[in-house]
Amino acid sequence: MSKYILISHALCPYVQRAAISLIEKGLAFERVDIDLANKPDWFLQISPLGKTPVLVVNGKAVFESAVICEYLDETTLSKMHPEKALERAMHRSWIEFASATLNSIAGFYNATDERTLAIKIAELQGRLSILENHLGAGPYFAGENFSLVDAAFAPVFRYFEVFEQIADFAFFAYLPKLTAWRSALQKRASVRSAAHENYVALLLEFLRARGSALSRRMQ
């Protein structure tokens, strides 16, 4: 059996993607958290991009979350990608959309003033509306089967659990299918287990320290 070590940062949503995949597949793994503000030399040797996650498999490093999840799906049972090539390609496209949504989230919490914050709120609302229009009956992205797209979007939705503690931004207003999907993901054991046990407190601390418009609302 392979030995898996997941190199992690406590707040990294991309780490959560990899952790969800590992948990869904019932694979035992060790999780090692690092400080991305003070990256250890050994980490830089195995992560040329200097980012988390990195999955060390039998001493060999695989980096980038999408690559890690694809590798796990290719080498283990209980496939999380569709069987048909075109459907797999479409799922990969939506995983990329999840990454773009994470970039919009970063723009939201880093917005320096209220005007920019309003622009970023509208940008996020637009992305969420696109998702709403694509979703089917659920409960997951592609119906009954939990997929790598679900693993990619679960960490996206986790941010909103914290944003909603700060203010009512109405991100999910009039988005019933997205609300139901988000709820189904929140209940999934792998999703609950993927985040750091102090995730909410750590994220709130991170957001307060940004010096952004959102930080000022928290005060």
Side-chain angles (χ1 to χ4, degrees), residues 3 33-34 37-38 57 74 81 94-96 107 109 127 129 137 150-151 156 168 186 190 195 201 205 211 213:
K3 179 181 179 181
D33 287 338
I34 65 162
N38 186 24
V57 185
E74 289 174 0
H81 250 340
W94 285 104
I95 290 169
E96 185 60 29
Y109 64 64
R127 291 200 185 279
S129 293
D150 296 289
V156 173
D168 182 7
Q186 287 173 326
S190 62
E205 180 182 355

Side-chain angles (χ1 to χ4, degrees), residues 108 160 162-171 214 217-218:
F108 164 74
F160 294 97
V162 177
F163 295 154
E164 288 165 352
Q165 295 184 28
I166 300 170
D168 182 7
F169 296 102
F171 282 121
L214 186 65
R217 288 199 182 195
M218 296 173 72

Side-chain angles (χ1 to χ4, degrees), residues 166 204 207-219:
I166 300 170
L204 286 168
L207 294 173
R208 286 191 189 95
R210 303 310 294 167
S212 65
L214 186 65
S215 305
R216 289 188 287 279
R217 288 199 182 195
M218 296 173 72
Q219 296 171 4

